[in-house]
Amino acid sequence: MTSTPTRTPPAAGPGGAGAPAARAATRTVAVTVPDWPLLAALDRHQRRLDADAPALDLAVAPVLLLDQHRVTHAGPAARAAGVLPGMKRRAARAACPEALVLEADREHEAALFELVAAAVDTIAAGVDVLRPGVLLMSARGPARHHGGEEILAERILDAVAELTGWDCTVGIADGPFAALLASAPGRIVRPGRSADYLAPHPITALAGAPVGPGWGHRGQPSAQRPERRLDLGETVDLLQRLGITTLGELAALPSAAVADRFGPDVATLHLLARGGESAPPATHHPTQPILAETTLETPLVRTDQAAFIARPLAEELHAMLLARGLVCTRLRIAARTEGGEEMERTWRHDGALSVADVVDRIRWQCDGWITRSRLGGPATGAITRIGLHPLQLAPAGESAPALWGSAGEAAQRAARALARAQGLAGEDAVQVPVPLGGRLLAEEVTLVPWRTEKPARREGPWPGSLPRPVPATVFREMPPVLLEDAAGRPVVVTARGLLSGPPAQLRLPASGTGALQRAGLRAGSAHPVLAHSAPTVLDERWWAPDGHRAARLQLVVRSASGEETAVLALSRTGSWMLEGLYD
């Protein structure tokens, strides 16, 4: 089933013809196979069944795809039954008990997608695989060859449908981000109108943006600092909490203000929202071409053999790049068979390709070439030579990840200073906070020495944990306090989780802390309670003999200076302590 992409009509607006373009974006074609992980998993499942078994229809048969026990994709029938991405396995099975549950397999997704890439290759050369399920290519040359962008899109749709049996969508626009969004409805955005097309889209559309070096993608670690994961979802959530709900609202912000306030990474997202395209890495032409190549003594005929040759080849390429101070963001994998057939495929990456990234792509690509005959494509002979050709290079320093600013010379000086402090005063002299998870604020975060292995996070849920925002000051040693009602009687939390009386004043004993004194809560003084929340009961380890009960209460008191101060109090065994102090 194919459909002709439609053109977006002209639209007026702040990003229209009268607005200056942020940067001349490349005319780009995006080819997307909707729900590709689900289609690949269903293909693997059906190939395991009897050859005479009827093919499943996603519109009728409910199918779910799980990754780490959570739903990542659901077919139309499953969605109609109430299954949504993000659900846990048990909740999804409860909503749709008859659903076929499949597990995600990234290896098979990448190998099977070679059929789609090969089908598009029959229409135009120079296809880049952004990730399994998404292809990008330049539009200008192929469009001129085929007589227009509409005809090019139609031929891509027909080629994929005829050669693979799957439906795809095609979008054409200025820049890869606009093209990706245009591919979902199958639109062709007129040149210079990408900003108008992007403006009404929700800000959550940035979660799938093909951003530049320094960002991780879909939970993958950054190539330069694997210990730090840069999450587009967290950035999008931050922009939403700041009141930015559409790409047009983000694009309307001044570029200089975005860069100064949020740093270069969010400035890149701002540029994409304006219909621009981030500048590609500087082109470098080494005196000697960079090429990592190996000739196989034993021809490669099985996919498991690719795992043994991928790691040494990737490490050889990484060493060449490291010696020149470069990183690779676009890689061509080439192969030659016993019969002299030459094959190649280009992989584009959201950031610098690490050794692990290159290893994955070699395995995926070899798997796709070897098994494509079994999957319905042309047969491939035994592979005798594999080569890696970096196509897009950038200085290594330009790919350093940073969310609130670039990790340039200032960050390097700070790192050297911290390392020197540890060398002089010991490893524990420099500590950084690490989230752990827990009910009490003091348990949620721990301090570990800088650049040491971080402890594993304790996964919840944590019933009774404090919702955000949390106090700015958390007391490791909670100072004791007295909470009294208007008659001077101690306020306690009853067994039913109720207060014995309305709190009237908070009294601090003789000992206090510097943080309390700075907030105007002096030792030995009493402060009137202006407002309070309902108590939250914490049943800690109720199933064990050493379990105990606690209660948490938020209070607003008047300090000695007359200002209102919010505190968080915790009651254990009838005694109150201060757990945190709000700014």
Side-chain angles (χ1 to χ4, degrees):
M1 176 180 178
T2 62
S3 60
T4 302
T6 59
R7 282 188 177 272
T8 55
R23 180 183 179 272
T26 305
R27 197 72 177 159
T28 306
V29 180
V31 182
T32 303
V33 180
D35 293 328
W36 174 252
L38 182 61
L39 293 178
L42 185 61
D43 177 88
R44 185 182 71 249
H45 171 74
Q46 291 180 338
R47 291 180 185 278
R48 292 174 178 174
L49 299 178
D50 186 9
D52 297 331
L56 293 178
D57 185 0
L58 285 178
V60 178
V63 182
L64 308 177
L65 183 65
L66 298 181
D67 188 8
Q68 297 181 353
H69 304 288
R70 285 190 179 272
V71 177
T72 58
H73 294 79
R79 291 195 297 267
V83 180
L84 298 174
M87 276 186 173
K88 291 186 177 180
R89 177 194 292 264
R90 183 175 298 178
R93 293 302 297 268
C96 189
E98 68 278 9
L100 171 63
V101 179
L102 304 174
E103 293 291 338
D105 186 347
R106 294 186 64 199
E107 303 281 340
H108 184 72
E109 293 171 18
L112 190 65
F113 195 63
E114 171 61 22
L115 296 181
V116 180
V120 179
D121 259 342
T122 62
I123 304 301
V127 173
D128 290 358
V129 180
L130 179 63
R131 54 182 176 267
V134 180
L135 295 170
L136 296 177
M137 59 185 296
S138 175
R140 297 193 184 277
R144 286 195 301 266
H145 176 74
H146 289 282
E149 293 179 344
E150 293 89 346
I151 299 176
L152 172 63
E154 291 177 4
R155 292 186 177 178
I156 292 175
L157 292 169
D158 293 339
V160 173
E162 292 173 4
L163 299 178
T164 69
W166 293 304
D167 291 337
C168 70
T169 59
V170 178
I172 304 178
D174 296 335
F177 181 49
L180 283 174
L181 293 185
S183 68
R187 290 185 177 273
I188 298 177
V189 182
R190 293 183 179 180
R193 313 300 283 184
S194 288
D196 297 326
Y197 178 72
L198 292 172
H201 283 79
I203 197 68
T204 52
L206 286 173
V211 291
W215 289 85
H217 185 69
R218 295 185 180 273
Q220 298 301 310
S222 168
Q224 294 295 313
R225 288 175 58 188
E227 74 277 5
R228 177 178 179 182
R229 292 176 180 266
L230 299 175
D231 190 356
L232 278 173
E234 293 180 2
T235 306
V236 171
D237 180 67
L238 169 66
L239 296 175
Q240 285 181 305
R241 287 187 278 117
L242 293 176
I244 302 173
T245 59
T246 65
L247 295 178
E249 293 176 355
L250 176 61
L253 298 177
S255 301
V258 172
D260 292 341
R261 176 64 179 87
F262 298 104
D265 288 325
V266 179
T268 299
L269 300 182
H270 178 255
L271 178 61
L272 295 178
R274 293 162 56 201
E277 180 182 13
S278 56
T283 303
H284 291 261
H285 300 284
T287 55
Q288 294 293 330
I290 299 177
L291 170 64
E293 192 173 36
T294 181
T295 300
L296 307 178
E297 296 180 0
T298 303
L300 194 148
V301 294
R302 300 192 316 272
T303 57
D304 57 342
Q305 293 176 279
F308 293 98
I309 62 141
R311 172 67 61 173
L313 197 59
E315 290 178 347
E316 180 184 352
L317 176 65
H318 181 71
M320 293 180 181
L321 296 173
L322 188 63
R324 295 167 173 81
L326 301 173
V327 293
C328 175
T329 60
R330 196 162 168 239
L331 179 69
R332 175 180 295 159
I333 303 175
R336 176 180 293 177
T337 66
E338 284 182 326
E341 180 186 2
E342 299 281 352
M343 303 176 297
E344 63 179 36
R345 178 69 62 218
T346 302
W347 285 83
R348 186 183 297 192
H349 187 56
D350 299 341
L353 284 159
S354 66
V355 173
D357 294 327
V358 176
V359 169
D360 285 341
R361 279 147 183 81
I362 294 174
R363 290 191 293 107
W364 295 345
Q365 194 57 63
C366 291
D367 192 7
W369 281 329
I370 293 172
T371 60
R372 68 183 182 183
S373 60
R374 179 169 51 85
L375 299 174
T380 301
I383 297 175
T384 58
R385 179 180 297 178
I386 295 179
L388 304 179
H389 306 257
L391 297 182
Q392 203 167 53
L393 301 172
E398 294 183 4
S399 293
L403 180 57
W404 304 111
S406 63
E409 182 62 28
Q412 295 176 10
R413 288 198 303 268
R416 289 194 295 267
L418 296 178
R420 180 169 177 78
Q422 282 186 322
L424 295 175
E427 188 180 37
D428 294 333
V430 181
Q431 296 188 336
V432 294
V434 176
L436 278 183
R439 292 183 180 85
L440 302 183
L441 294 179
E443 298 175 348
E444 286 192 21
V445 178
T446 187
L447 295 175
V448 299
W450 181 62
R451 282 189 172 175
T452 59
E453 184 178 358
K454 296 176 176 57
R457 183 180 178 88
R458 300 187 298 248
E459 297 297 334
W462 301 103
S465 59
L466 190 68
R468 270 48 179 172
V470 298
T473 302
V474 177
F475 299 107
R476 291 288 176 182
E477 297 182 2
M478 294 182 283
V481 295
L482 300 175
L483 191 60
E484 301 173 345
D485 59 14
R489 295 186 297 266
V491 175
V492 298
V493 179
T494 65
R496 300 185 63 181
L498 303 175
L499 294 175
S500 60
Q505 65 178 359
L506 180 73
R507 189 182 300 275
L508 277 70
S511 61
T513 66
L516 292 176
Q517 294 178 5
R518 288 190 296 271
L521 304 179
R522 300 191 180 97
S525 60
H527 304 275
V529 176
L530 305 179
H532 66 87
S533 66
T536 301
V537 177
L538 306 178
D539 279 328
E540 300 178 82
R541 297 182 58 81
W542 53 266
W543 65 89
D546 59 344
H548 51 272
R549 201 173 159 91
R552 179 181 275 147
L553 190 66
Q554 293 170 310
L555 303 167
V556 178
V557 301
R558 190 180 302 280
S559 64
S561 60
E563 297 181 355
E564 297 180 358
T565 302
V567 299
L568 182 66
L570 183 72
S571 173
R572 275 181 171 171
T573 64
S575 300
W576 289 94
M577 299 168 287
L578 286 186
E579 189 179 3
L581 181 67
Y582 291 91
D583 279 349

